Amino acid sequence: DASMQIKLKRLESQRNALYEQLGRLTYRQLKTGESQAEKIAATIEGIDDVRTKHRAQAELIEKTKRERAEKKAAFEAEAEDRE
């Protein structure tokens, strides 16, 4: 389903943005010596959340594909039986 693929791509985009933010925060901390620990921790939490959602969405897409393939095979078998 296209909407499920779009949601997956949106999650990938969110994940990538969070990784970029993590990189910027880490760079700033290393460059300035000013702690960014709280912001880094929040960003990592966001990354973990998006990764969990992404994994669930990918699994849902695969489940849907399997179910469609099973329905198609059952329909084709039924059509053969009618011949």
Side-chain angles (χ1 to χ4, degrees):
D1 185 74
S3 64
M4 288 191 284
Q5 291 289 345
I6 290 169
K7 185 173 182 178
L8 188 68
K9 292 297 181 186
R10 190 175 335 115
L11 289 167
E12 289 172 2
S13 178
Q14 289 173 356
R15 182 190 60 201
N16 291 343
L18 286 165
Y19 274 119
E20 288 175 13
Q21 181 178 343
L22 179 61
R24 286 190 300 273
L25 290 169
T26 302
Y27 175 84
R28 186 178 306 142
Q29 179 171 297
L30 292 172
K31 191 73 172 174
T32 66
E34 183 180 318
S35 177
Q36 300 294 316
E38 287 182 26
K39 292 178 183 177
I40 288 172
T43 301
I44 290 172
E45 186 176 320
I47 290 169
D48 291 344
D49 182 52
V50 171
R51 289 180 66 190
T52 299
K53 290 177 183 176
H54 183 275
R55 190 176 311 113
Q57 185 68 20
E59 288 172 1
L60 178 61
I61 289 170
E62 287 305 312
K63 178 183 175 195
T64 302
K65 284 181 184 178
R66 282 192 306 275
E67 288 173 352
R68 284 186 185 155
E70 289 169 2
K71 285 180 184 178
K72 183 179 178 185
F75 177 78
E76 290 172 352
E78 188 177 303
E80 272 185 27
D81 290 345
R82 283 183 264 162
E83 290 179 358

